[in-house]
Amino acid sequence: MKGFSLPKAALVGGIAEPGHEQLNEAPHTWACDVDLNGTDNARISFTATTDNTILDAALREEKEFRKLPGASGSVVGTNEAVLQCAEGNVYFAANWSTESEGVLLDHTRNRQPSYSEVRRATFQNFLDAAAASRNCPQVAMPR
């Protein structure tokens, strides 16, 4: 996606480096899996969709969506957001495989930036690029 890159802190030389990307696009959904070379099954998946079925399911799950300042949308943790965009609501998500979370936890233990800061920065980078491509407001992920 134009303007998107993984933060340097999300990568670990020789253990988790950008590898193969698999992109899937449909009329209402864009998804990309980024395999991280160096560790079996380490992957980060990114999704942006206007599909009402997915939007409804995301909003109905027992998650605590927090409203963002203004009327721009809501977020859950550091990896999900629903933004109110020019053409309606868009759901954005990032999912980390267990293997990629393990590598990140090991790499950030007792270091800065922290695990949660790296995850927040990764999702923020994705959200910035994906929101711009869908005419959505630019928002800052809460700390």
Side-chain angles (χ1 to χ4, degrees), residues 54-136:
I54 295 171
L55 277 161
D56 291 344
L59 293 170
R60 266 186 284 160
E61 286 184 21
E62 294 188 19
K63 299 177 185 175
E64 301 236 359
F65 272 91
R66 293 177 26 202
K67 289 283 186 195
L68 291 166
S72 55
S74 304
V75 297
V76 173
T78 58
N79 63 342
E80 290 181 88
V82 174
L83 298 184
Q84 296 167 355
C85 304
E87 296 182 22
N89 286 341
V90 180
Y91 172 73
F92 300 92
N95 294 298
W96 298 64
S97 69
T98 302
E99 295 78 9
S100 61
E101 284 188 333
V103 167
L104 184 59
L105 280 166
D106 288 345
H107 183 67
T108 58
R109 186 163 292 139
N110 301 319
R111 295 187 187 137
Q112 289 297 320
S114 70
Y115 170 80
S116 62
E117 290 168 333
V118 173
R119 284 185 54 119
R120 184 183 313 99
T122 301
F123 188 64
Q124 184 72 60
N125 284 6
F126 168 64
L127 194 57
D128 289 347
S133 74
R134 294 183 172 263
N135 201 19
C136 301

Coordinates of all heavy atoms in Angstrom, one line a residue, residues 54-136:
I54 N -18.9 -7.6 8.0 CA -17.7 -7.5 8.9 C -17.8 -6.4 9.9 O -17.5 -6.5 11.0 CB -16.4 -7.5 8.0 CG1 -16.3 -8.8 7.2 CG2 -15.2 -7.3 8.9 CD1 -15.2 -8.8 6.1
L55 N -18.2 -5.2 9.4 CA -18.4 -4.1 10.3 C -19.3 -4.4 11.4 O -19.0 -4.1 12.6 CB -18.9 -2.8 9.5 CG -17.8 -2.0 8.7 CD1 -18.5 -1.2 7.7 CD2 -17.1 -1.2 9.7
D56 N -20.5 -4.9 11.1 CA -21.5 -5.3 12.1 C -20.9 -6.3 13.1 O -21.1 -6.1 14.3 CB -22.8 -5.8 11.5 CG -23.5 -4.7 10.7 OD1 -23.3 -3.5 10.9 OD2 -24.4 -5.1 9.9
A57 N -20.2 -7.3 12.6 CA -19.7 -8.3 13.5 C -18.6 -7.7 14.4 O -18.6 -8.0 15.6 CB -19.1 -9.4 12.7
A58 N -17.8 -6.9 13.9 CA -16.7 -6.2 14.7 C -17.3 -5.4 15.8 O -16.9 -5.4 16.9 CB -15.8 -5.4 13.8
L59 N -18.3 -4.6 15.5 CA -19.0 -3.7 16.4 C -19.8 -4.5 17.4 O -20.1 -4.0 18.5 CB -19.8 -2.7 15.7 CG -19.0 -1.7 14.9 CD1 -19.8 -0.8 14.1 CD2 -18.1 -0.8 15.8
R60 N -20.3 -5.7 17.1 CA -21.1 -6.5 18.0 C -20.3 -7.3 19.0 O -20.8 -7.7 20.0 CB -22.1 -7.4 17.2 CG -23.4 -6.7 17.0 CD -24.3 -7.7 16.4 NE -23.9 -7.8 15.0 CZ -24.2 -8.8 14.1 NH1 -24.8 -9.8 14.5 NH2 -23.7 -8.7 12.9
E61 N -19.1 -7.6 18.6 CA -18.3 -8.4 19.5 C -18.1 -7.8 20.8 O -18.2 -6.5 20.9 CB -16.9 -8.7 18.9 CG -16.9 -9.6 17.7 CD -15.5 -9.9 17.2 OE1 -14.5 -9.7 17.9 OE2 -15.4 -10.4 16.1
E62 N -17.9 -8.5 21.8 CA -17.8 -8.0 23.2 C -16.4 -7.4 23.4 O -15.6 -7.8 24.2 CB -18.1 -9.0 24.2 CG -19.5 -9.4 24.2 CD -19.9 -10.3 25.3 OE1 -19.2 -10.4 26.3 OE2 -21.0 -11.0 25.1
K63 N -16.1 -6.3 22.7 CA -14.9 -5.6 22.8 C -15.2 -4.2 23.2 O -16.3 -3.7 23.0 CB -14.2 -5.5 21.4 CG -13.8 -6.8 20.8 CD -13.2 -6.6 19.5 CE -13.0 -7.9 18.8 NZ -12.5 -7.7 17.4
E64 N -14.3 -3.5 23.8 CA -14.5 -2.2 24.3 C -13.9 -1.2 23.3 O -12.8 -0.8 23.3 CB -13.8 -2.0 25.6 CG -14.3 -3.0 26.7 CD -14.9 -2.3 27.9 OE1 -14.8 -1.0 28.0 OE2 -15.4 -3.0 28.8
F65 N -14.8 -0.8 22.3 CA -14.4 0.3 21.4 C -14.4 1.6 22.1 O -15.3 1.9 22.8 CB -15.4 0.3 20.2 CG -15.0 -0.6 19.1 CD1 -15.5 -1.9 19.0 CD2 -14.2 -0.1 18.0 CE1 -15.2 -2.7 18.0 CE2 -13.9 -1.0 17.0 CZ -14.4 -2.3 16.9
R66 N -13.3 2.3 22.0 CA -13.2 3.6 22.6 C -13.4 4.7 21.5 O -12.7 4.6 20.5 CB -11.8 3.8 23.3 CG -11.7 2.9 24.5 CD -10.3 3.0 25.1 NE -9.6 4.3 24.9 CZ -8.3 4.4 25.0 NH1 -7.5 3.3 25.3 NH2 -7.7 5.5 24.9
K67 N -14.2 5.7 21.8 CA -14.4 6.8 20.9 C -13.2 7.6 20.7 O -12.5 7.9 21.7 CB -15.6 7.7 21.3 CG -16.9 7.0 21.2 CD -17.4 7.1 19.8 CE -18.8 6.6 19.7 NZ -19.2 6.3 18.3
L68 N -12.8 8.0 19.5 CA -11.7 8.9 19.3 C -12.2 10.3 19.4 O -13.4 10.5 19.2 CB -11.2 8.6 17.9 CG -10.5 7.3 17.7 CD1 -10.2 7.0 16.2 CD2 -9.1 7.3 18.4
P69 N -11.4 11.3 19.6 CA -11.8 12.6 19.7 C -12.6 13.1 18.5 O -12.2 12.6 17.4 CB -10.5 13.4 19.9 CG -9.5 12.4 20.4 CD -9.9 11.1 19.9
G70 N -13.5 13.9 18.6 CA -14.4 14.3 17.5 C -15.3 13.2 17.1 O -15.5 12.3 17.8
A71 N -15.7 13.3 15.9 CA -16.7 12.2 15.4 C -16.0 11.4 14.3 O -16.5 10.9 13.4 CB -17.9 12.9 14.8
S72 N -14.7 11.1 14.6 CA -13.9 10.4 13.6 C -14.0 8.9 13.6 O -13.7 8.2 12.6 CB -12.4 10.8 13.6 OG -11.9 10.6 14.9
G73 N -14.3 8.3 14.8 CA -14.4 6.8 14.8 C -14.1 6.3 16.2 O -14.1 7.0 17.2
S74 N -13.8 5.0 16.2 CA -13.5 4.3 17.5 C -12.4 3.3 17.3 O -12.1 2.9 16.2 CB -14.8 3.5 17.9 OG -15.9 4.3 18.0
V75 N -11.7 2.9 18.4 CA -10.6 2.0 18.4 C -10.8 0.9 19.5 O -11.4 1.2 20.5 CB -9.2 2.7 18.5 CG1 -9.0 3.6 17.4 CG2 -9.1 3.4 19.8
V76 N -10.1 -0.2 19.2 CA -10.0 -1.3 20.2 C -8.5 -1.5 20.4 O -7.9 -1.9 19.4 CB -10.7 -2.6 19.9 CG1 -10.4 -3.7 20.8 CG2 -12.2 -2.4 19.8
G77 N -8.0 -1.4 21.5 CA -6.6 -1.7 21.8 C -5.7 -1.0 20.8 O -5.9 0.2 20.4
T78 N -4.7 -1.7 20.3 CA -3.7 -1.2 19.3 C -3.8 -1.8 18.0 O -2.8 -1.7 17.2 CB -2.3 -1.3 19.9 OG1 -2.0 -2.7 20.1 CG2 -2.1 -0.5 21.2
N79 N -4.9 -2.5 17.7 CA -5.0 -3.2 16.4 C -6.3 -3.2 15.7 O -6.5 -3.9 14.7 CB -4.4 -4.6 16.5 CG -5.3 -5.4 17.4 OD1 -6.1 -4.9 18.2 ND2 -5.1 -6.7 17.3
E80 N -7.3 -2.4 16.1 CA -8.5 -2.3 15.4 C -9.1 -0.9 15.5 O -9.0 -0.3 16.5 CB -9.6 -3.3 16.0 CG -9.3 -4.7 15.8 CD -10.4 -5.6 16.5 OE1 -11.5 -5.8 15.8 OE2 -10.3 -5.9 17.6
A81 N -9.7 -0.5 14.4 CA -10.4 0.8 14.4 C -11.5 0.8 13.4 O -11.5 0.1 12.4 CB -9.4 1.9 14.0
V82 N -12.6 1.5 13.7 CA -13.6 1.8 12.7 C -13.7 3.3 12.6 O -13.9 4.1 13.6 CB -15.0 1.3 13.2 CG1 -16.1 1.8 12.3 CG2 -15.0 -0.2 13.4
L83 N -13.4 3.8 11.4 CA -13.4 5.2 11.1 C -14.6 5.6 10.3 O -15.0 4.9 9.4 CB -12.1 5.6 10.4 CG -10.8 5.4 11.1 CD1 -9.6 5.9 10.3 CD2 -10.8 6.0 12.5
Q84 N -15.0 6.8 10.5 CA -16.1 7.4 9.7 C -15.5 8.2 8.6 O -15.0 9.3 8.8 CB -17.0 8.3 10.7 CG -17.7 7.4 11.7 CD -18.3 8.3 12.8 OE1 -18.2 9.5 12.9 NE2 -19.0 7.6 13.8
C85 N -15.6 7.6 7.4 CA -14.9 8.1 6.2 C -15.9 8.8 5.3 O -17.2 8.7 5.5 CB -14.2 7.0 5.5 SG -13.0 6.2 6.6
A86 N -15.4 9.4 4.2 CA -16.3 10.1 3.3 C -17.4 9.3 2.8 O -18.6 9.8 2.6 CB -15.5 10.7 2.2
E87 N -17.2 8.0 2.5 CA -18.2 7.1 1.9 C -18.8 6.1 2.9 O -19.4 5.1 2.5 CB -17.6 6.4 0.7 CG -17.3 7.4 -0.4 CD -16.7 6.8 -1.6 OE1 -17.0 5.6 -1.9 OE2 -16.1 7.5 -2.4
G88 N -18.6 6.4 4.2 CA -19.2 5.5 5.2 C -18.1 4.9 6.2 O -16.9 5.3 6.1
N89 N -18.5 4.0 7.0 CA -17.6 3.4 8.0 C -16.6 2.5 7.3 O -17.0 1.7 6.4 CB -18.4 2.7 9.1 CG -19.0 3.6 10.1 OD1 -18.7 4.8 10.1 ND2 -20.0 3.1 10.8
V90 N -15.4 2.5 7.8 CA -14.4 1.5 7.3 C -13.8 0.9 8.6 O -13.4 1.6 9.5 CB -13.3 2.2 6.5 CG1 -12.3 1.2 6.0 CG2 -13.9 2.9 5.3
Y91 N -13.7 -0.5 8.5 CA -13.0 -1.2 9.6 C -11.6 -1.5 9.2 O -11.3 -2.0 8.1 CB -13.8 -2.5 9.8 CG -13.2 -3.5 10.8 CD1 -13.2 -3.3 12.1 CD2 -12.6 -4.7 10.3 CE1 -12.6 -4.2 13.0 CE2 -12.0 -5.6 11.2 CZ -12.0 -5.3 12.5 OH -11.4 -6.2 13.4
F92 N -10.7 -1.2 10.1 CA -9.2 -1.5 9.9 C -8.7 -2.4 11.0 O -9.1 -2.2 12.2 CB -8.4 -0.2 10.0 CG -8.8 0.8 9.0 CD1 -9.8 1.8 9.3 CD2 -8.3 0.9 7.7 CE1 -10.2 2.8 8.3 CE2 -8.6 1.8 6.8 CZ -9.6 2.8 7.1
A93 N -7.9 -3.4 10.6 CA -7.4 -4.3 11.6 C -6.0 -4.8 11.3 O -5.6 -4.9 10.1 CB -8.3 -5.5 11.8
A94 N -5.2 -5.1 12.3 CA -3.9 -5.7 12.1 C -3.9 -6.9 13.1 O -4.3 -6.8 14.2 CB -2.8 -4.8 12.5
N95 N -3.5 -8.1 12.6 CA -3.4 -9.3 13.4 C -2.0 -9.9 13.3 O -1.5 -10.0 12.2 CB -4.4 -10.3 12.9 CG -5.9 -9.9 13.1 OD1 -6.3 -9.7 14.2 ND2 -6.6 -9.7 12.0
W96 N -1.5 -10.2 14.5 CA -0.1 -10.7 14.6 C -0.2 -12.2 14.9 O -1.0 -12.6 15.8 CB 0.6 -10.0 15.7 CG 0.8 -8.5 15.6 CD1 -0.2 -7.6 15.5 CD2 2.0 -7.8 15.4 NE1 0.3 -6.3 15.4 CE2 1.7 -6.5 15.3 CE3 3.3 -8.2 15.4 CZ2 2.7 -5.5 15.2 CZ3 4.3 -7.2 15.3 CH2 4.0 -5.9 15.2
S97 N 0.5 -13.0 14.1 CA 0.5 -14.4 14.4 C 1.2 -14.6 15.8 O 2.0 -13.8 16.2 CB 1.3 -15.2 13.3 OG 2.7 -14.9 13.4
T98 N 1.0 -15.8 16.4 CA 1.6 -16.1 17.6 C 3.1 -16.0 17.5 O 3.8 -15.5 18.5 CB 1.1 -17.5 18.1 OG1 -0.3 -17.5 18.2 CG2 1.7 -17.9 19.4
E99 N 3.6 -16.5 16.4 CA 5.1 -16.5 16.2 C 5.6 -15.1 16.1 O 6.7 -14.8 16.7 CB 5.4 -17.3 15.0 CG 5.1 -18.8 15.0 CD 3.6 -19.1 14.8 OE1 2.8 -18.2 14.4 OE2 3.3 -20.3 15.0
S100 N 4.9 -14.2 15.4 CA 5.4 -12.8 15.3 C 5.3 -12.1 16.7 O 6.2 -11.3 17.0 CB 4.8 -12.1 14.2 OG 3.4 -11.9 14.4
E101 N 4.3 -12.4 17.4 CA 4.1 -11.8 18.8 C 5.3 -12.3 19.7 O 5.8 -11.5 20.4 CB 2.8 -12.2 19.4 CG 1.7 -11.3 18.8 CD 0.4 -11.5 19.6 OE1 0.2 -12.6 20.2 OE2 -0.4 -10.6 19.6
G102 N 5.6 -13.6 19.6 CA 6.7 -14.1 20.4 C 8.0 -13.5 20.1 O 8.8 -13.1 21.0
V103 N 8.3 -13.3 18.8 CA 9.6 -12.7 18.4 C 9.6 -11.2 19.0 O 10.6 -10.8 19.6 CB 9.7 -12.7 16.9 CG1 10.9 -11.7 16.5 CG2 10.0 -14.1 16.4
L104 N 8.5 -10.5 18.8 CA 8.4 -9.1 19.3 C 8.6 -9.1 20.8 O 9.3 -8.2 21.3 CB 7.1 -8.5 18.8 CG 7.0 -7.0 19.1 CD1 8.1 -6.2 18.5 CD2 5.6 -6.5 18.6
L105 N 7.9 -9.9 21.5 CA 8.0 -10.0 23.0 C 9.4 -10.2 23.4 O 9.9 -9.5 24.3 CB 7.0 -11.0 23.6 CG 5.6 -10.6 23.7 CD1 4.7 -11.8 24.0 CD2 5.4 -9.6 24.8
D106 N 10.1 -11.2 22.8 CA 11.5 -11.5 23.1 C 12.4 -10.3 22.9 O 13.3 -10.0 23.6 CB 12.0 -12.7 22.4 CG 11.4 -14.0 22.9 OD1 10.8 -14.0 24.0 OD2 11.5 -15.0 22.2
H107 N 12.2 -9.6 21.7 CA 13.0 -8.6 21.3 C 12.8 -7.3 22.1 O 13.8 -6.5 22.2 CB 12.8 -8.3 19.8 CG 13.7 -7.2 19.2 ND1 15.1 -7.4 19.1 CD2 13.4 -6.0 18.8 CE1 15.6 -6.3 18.6 NE2 14.6 -5.4 18.4
T108 N 11.7 -7.1 22.6 CA 11.4 -5.8 23.3 C 11.5 -5.9 24.9 O 11.4 -4.9 25.6 CB 10.0 -5.3 23.0 OG1 9.0 -6.2 23.3 CG2 9.9 -4.9 21.5
R109 N 11.7 -7.1 25.3 CA 11.8 -7.4 26.8 C 12.9 -6.5 27.4 O 14.0 -6.5 27.0 CB 12.1 -8.8 27.1 CG 12.1 -9.1 28.5 CD 12.0 -10.6 28.8 NE 10.7 -11.1 28.3 CZ 10.5 -12.2 27.6 NH1 11.4 -13.0 27.3 NH2 9.2 -12.5 27.2
N110 N 12.4 -5.6 28.3 CA 13.3 -4.7 29.0 C 14.0 -3.7 28.1 O 15.1 -3.3 28.4 CB 14.4 -5.5 29.9 CG 13.7 -6.3 30.9 OD1 12.7 -6.0 31.5 ND2 14.2 -7.6 31.1
R111 N 13.4 -3.4 27.0 CA 14.0 -2.4 26.0 C 12.9 -1.4 25.6 O 11.7 -1.6 25.8 CB 14.4 -3.2 24.8 CG 15.6 -4.1 25.0 CD 16.1 -4.6 23.6 NE 17.1 -5.6 23.9 CZ 17.1 -6.8 23.2 NH1 16.3 -7.0 22.3 NH2 18.1 -7.6 23.5
Q112 N 13.4 -0.3 25.0 CA 12.5 0.7 24.5 C 12.7 0.7 22.9 O 13.9 0.5 22.5 CB 12.8 2.0 25.0 CG 12.3 2.2 26.5 CD 10.8 2.0 26.6 OE1 10.1 2.5 25.8 NE2 10.4 1.3 27.7
P113 N 11.7 0.8 22.1 CA 10.3 0.9 22.5 C 9.8 -0.4 23.0 O 10.3 -1.4 22.7 CB 9.6 1.4 21.2 CG 10.5 0.9 20.1 CD 11.9 0.9 20.7
S114 N 8.7 -0.3 23.8 CA 8.1 -1.5 24.4 C 7.3 -2.2 23.4 O 7.0 -1.7 22.3 CB 7.2 -1.1 25.6 OG 6.1 -0.4 25.1
Y115 N 6.9 -3.4 23.8 CA 6.0 -4.3 22.9 C 4.8 -3.5 22.5 O 4.5 -3.5 21.3 CB 5.7 -5.5 23.7 CG 4.6 -6.4 23.1 CD1 4.9 -7.3 22.1 CD2 3.3 -6.3 23.6 CE1 3.9 -8.1 21.6 CE2 2.3 -7.1 23.1 CZ 2.6 -8.0 22.1 OH 1.6 -8.8 21.5
S116 N 4.1 -2.9 23.4 CA 2.8 -2.2 23.1 C 3.1 -1.0 22.2 O 2.3 -0.7 21.3 CB 2.0 -1.8 24.3 OG 2.8 -0.9 25.1
E117 N 4.2 -0.3 22.4 CA 4.6 0.9 21.6 C 4.9 0.4 20.1 O 4.5 1.1 19.2 CB 5.8 1.6 22.2 CG 5.4 2.3 23.5 CD 6.7 2.8 24.2 OE1 7.8 2.2 24.0 OE2 6.6 3.8 24.9
V118 N 5.5 -0.7 20.0 CA 5.8 -1.2 18.6 C 4.5 -1.6 17.9 O 4.3 -1.3 16.8 CB 6.8 -2.4 18.6 CG1 7.0 -3.0 17.3 CG2 8.2 -1.9 19.2
R119 N 3.6 -2.3 18.6 CA 2.3 -2.7 18.0 C 1.5 -1.4 17.7 O 0.9 -1.4 16.6 CB 1.6 -3.6 19.0 CG 2.1 -5.0 19.0 CD 1.3 -5.9 19.8 NE -0.1 -5.9 19.4 CZ -0.7 -7.0 18.9 NH1 -0.1 -8.1 18.8 NH2 -2.0 -6.9 18.6
R120 N 1.5 -0.5 18.6 CA 0.7 0.8 18.3 C 1.3 1.5 17.1 O 0.6 1.9 16.2 CB 0.8 1.7 19.5 CG -0.1 3.0 19.3 CD -0.1 4.0 20.5 NE -0.2 3.4 21.8 CZ 0.8 3.1 22.6 NH1 2.0 3.4 22.3 NH2 0.5 2.7 23.8
A121 N 2.6 1.6 17.0 CA 3.3 2.3 15.8 C 3.0 1.5 14.5 O 2.8 2.2 13.5 CB 4.8 2.4 16.1
T122 N 3.0 0.2 14.6 CA 2.8 -0.6 13.4 C 1.4 -0.3 12.9 O 1.1 -0.1 11.7 CB 3.0 -2.1 13.7 OG1 4.3 -2.3 14.1 CG2 2.7 -2.9 12.4
F123 N 0.4 -0.4 13.8 CA -1.0 -0.2 13.4 C -1.2 1.3 12.9 O -1.9 1.6 12.0 CB -2.0 -0.5 14.5 CG -3.4 -0.5 14.1 CD1 -3.9 -1.3 13.1 CD2 -4.3 0.5 14.6 CE1 -5.2 -1.3 12.7 CE2 -5.6 0.5 14.2 CZ -6.1 -0.3 13.2
Q124 N -0.5 2.2 13.6 CA -0.6 3.6 13.2 C -0.1 3.8 11.8 O -0.8 4.5 11.0 CB 0.1 4.5 14.2 CG 0.0 6.0 13.9 CD -1.4 6.5 14.3 OE1 -1.8 6.5 15.4 NE2 -2.1 7.1 13.3
N125 N 1.0 3.2 11.5 CA 1.6 3.3 10.1 C 0.6 2.8 9.1 O 0.3 3.4 8.0 CB 2.9 2.6 10.0 CG 4.0 3.3 10.6 OD1 3.9 4.4 11.2 ND2 5.2 2.8 10.4
F126 N 0.0 1.6 9.4 CA -1.0 1.0 8.5 C -2.3 1.9 8.4 O -2.7 2.2 7.3 CB -1.4 -0.4 9.0 CG -2.6 -0.9 8.3 CD1 -2.6 -1.1 6.9 CD2 -3.8 -1.1 9.0 CE1 -3.8 -1.6 6.3 CE2 -4.9 -1.6 8.4 CZ -4.9 -1.9 7.0
L127 N -2.7 2.4 9.5 CA -4.0 3.2 9.6 C -3.7 4.5 8.8 O -4.6 4.9 8.0 CB -4.3 3.5 11.0 CG -5.7 4.1 11.3 CD1 -6.8 3.1 10.7 CD2 -5.9 4.2 12.8
D128 N -2.6 5.1 8.9 CA -2.3 6.4 8.2 C -2.4 6.2 6.7 O -3.0 6.9 6.0 CB -0.9 6.9 8.6 CG -0.8 7.5 10.0 OD1 -1.9 7.7 10.6 OD2 0.3 7.7 10.4
A129 N -1.7 5.1 6.2 CA -1.7 4.8 4.8 C -3.1 4.4 4.3 O -3.5 4.9 3.2 CB -0.6 3.8 4.4
A130 N -3.7 3.5 5.0 CA -5.0 2.9 4.5 C -6.1 4.0 4.6 O -6.9 4.0 3.7 CB -5.4 1.7 5.4
A131 N -6.1 4.8 5.7 CA -7.1 5.8 5.8 C -7.0 6.8 4.7 O -8.0 7.2 4.1 CB -7.0 6.5 7.2
A132 N -5.8 7.2 4.3 CA -5.6 8.2 3.3 C -6.1 7.6 1.9 O -6.7 8.4 1.1 CB -4.1 8.5 3.1
S133 N -5.9 6.3 1.7 CA -6.3 5.7 0.4 C -7.9 5.6 0.3 O -8.4 5.4 -0.8 CB -5.7 4.4 0.2 OG -6.3 3.4 1.1
R134 N -8.6 5.7 1.5 CA -10.0 5.6 1.5 C -10.8 6.9 1.9 O -11.9 6.8 2.2 CB -10.4 4.4 2.4 CG -10.0 3.1 1.9 CD -10.4 2.0 2.8 NE -10.1 0.7 2.2 CZ -11.0 0.0 1.5 NH1 -12.2 0.4 1.3 NH2 -10.7 -1.2 1.0
N135 N -10.0 8.0 1.8 CA -10.6 9.3 2.1 C -11.2 9.3 3.5 O -12.3 9.7 3.8 CB -11.7 9.7 1.1 CG -11.9 11.2 1.1 OD1 -11.1 11.9 1.6 ND2 -13.0 11.6 0.5
C136 N -10.4 8.9 4.5 CA -10.8 8.8 5.9 C -10.0 9.9 6.7 O -8.9 10.3 6.2 CB -10.5 7.5 6.5 SG -11.3 6.1 5.7

